[in-house]
Amino acid sequence: MANQELDPVAPPGLHLVSAFLAMEPADSLISLARACGGGSVTEKVQRFIWSYCISEASGKGYVPYVKNFLKKLIVEVESNHGDVLDELYEQYAYIMTSLKDDHLAEKNKRVCKYITFLFPDGTFDLPSCPKSRKLIVPLQCSLNMLEGDTGCSIWPSSLYLSEIILSFPEIFSNKSCFEVGSGVGLVGVCLAQAKAAKVILTDGDLSTLVNLRSNLELNQLSIETDFSENEDSNVVKCIHLPWESASESEVRGFMPEIVLGADVIYDPTCLPHLVRVLSILLSQKKSDSPTQKESCKGSIRDSEYGHDRVNDTNQGKILCANDLDRCHSNHNGIDACKEAPNTRSSEGPVAYIASVIRNIDTFNCFLALASQANLAITDITETFRPFNLLPYMQSYQRSNIRLFIVSCNT
Ligand SMILES: C[S@@+](CC[C@H](N)C(=O)[O-])C[C@H]1O[C@@H](n2cnc3c(N)ncnc32)[C@H](O)[C@@H]1O
């Protein structure tokens, strides 16, 4: 590779540029830069970085991020006794003198990350843009992971769910899709790309919703907040839907064929509410058969998981602890049962839930609540693998993510 020309539209140059635009950690960029130079950051690689990352992306890059990358790059070259390009030294010096302290102090600062999905040659065409081998999704995010009740950052499960949608667009195209806890909106953008018939994005946090709407606009999607019918698949509905206060009739009104959720299983106090919402969404057949409606509804009702019970966190914990054994057996059960996915649109809606299991007790609590609500959960991680559309993203640990399909037991 050392003697070949680096190309910004083909690996490894494309990976380096994509990682820079996605604001990957500086160490990842350095390792991609080394790969471009056959093991070291040669002058040619530095020139490539200068042309395609620093100069060309100067309007896009967040200045403190560029500064940190330049610093690590200069240290990398110097410590290997290489010559640093003058342009890189000068740019670093310029940023050092022009960067104001208040710029660095803005913890809740929004930045724009560009997530580039790279489609391997010979695979499939993106429904929204046949023959295009890449999709770039700009997303405004916060540097503070906790801002907007965690909804202003990109979480790994949404990357995974997006890869699923873009790898299997036929599952989602012409389907009415509904997402819980949409955050920055990446999954919604991918659903629109897959030509879902309807995209309904929801979140319980108002500042997250404001950011979500900006992101939909950034991606040229029109936003509709009312419930009027619109056949244009570039129109996305964006709705404030806190799981705690969502009424059964409101949730029932959506009638999606596919429900999605990425990294929404993490707060034990919210789980009963999340499961209640899922249960209502999944208990409806397209024909809205009363028999099936009752089967889910019977086991998890508003009164059962009303505010009194759920706001009592102790009671929530007791519920988890008491149900742990059952959850373990459930968990083993779902691990053992690896089915191919089935959207089952003729039988009823299904949910695709992607999750990093950070706390096994919390996850087991989710399983127990789902079981009480008569929801069937199948782990399809091993049998339903998406293409690796983010090969440059070293910070994204796919192996930590599980994908579950959830449906209402009949
Ligand atoms: C960890 S973030 C994941 C965001 C996005 N799905 C992703 O993977 O990037 C959890 C999301 O769920 C939303 N959320 C948390 N609790 C909620 C609740 N009780 N009702 C509705 N949304 C909630 C948060 O606002 C946030 O957007």
Side-chain angles (χ1 to χ4, degrees), residues 148-151 153 155 158 181 183 203-205 241-244 262-263 266 270:
D149 198 11
T150 70
S153 300
W155 293 82
S158 70
D203 206 282
D205 182 80
L241 191 90
W243 307 324
E244 293 78 356
D263 258 326
Y266 60 99
C270 290

Side-chain angles (χ1 to χ4, degrees), residues 167 332 346:
S167 297
N332 291 339
S346 58

Side-chain angles (χ1 to χ4, degrees), residues 145 147-159 161 179-187 202-206 208 240-244 261-267 270 273-274 354 358:
M145 280 170 74
E147 200 192 339
D149 198 11
T150 70
C152 293
S153 300
I154 304 170
W155 293 82
S157 299
S158 70
L159 296 171
L161 215 39
E179 192 189 12
V180 288
S182 296
V184 295
L186 178 61
V187 164
T202 70
D203 206 282
D205 182 80
L206 285 170
T208 293
H240 182 225
L241 191 90
W243 307 324
E244 293 78 356
D263 258 326
V264 286
I265 303 168
Y266 60 99
D267 181 350
C270 290
H273 307 290
L274 171 62
R358 297 182 179 87

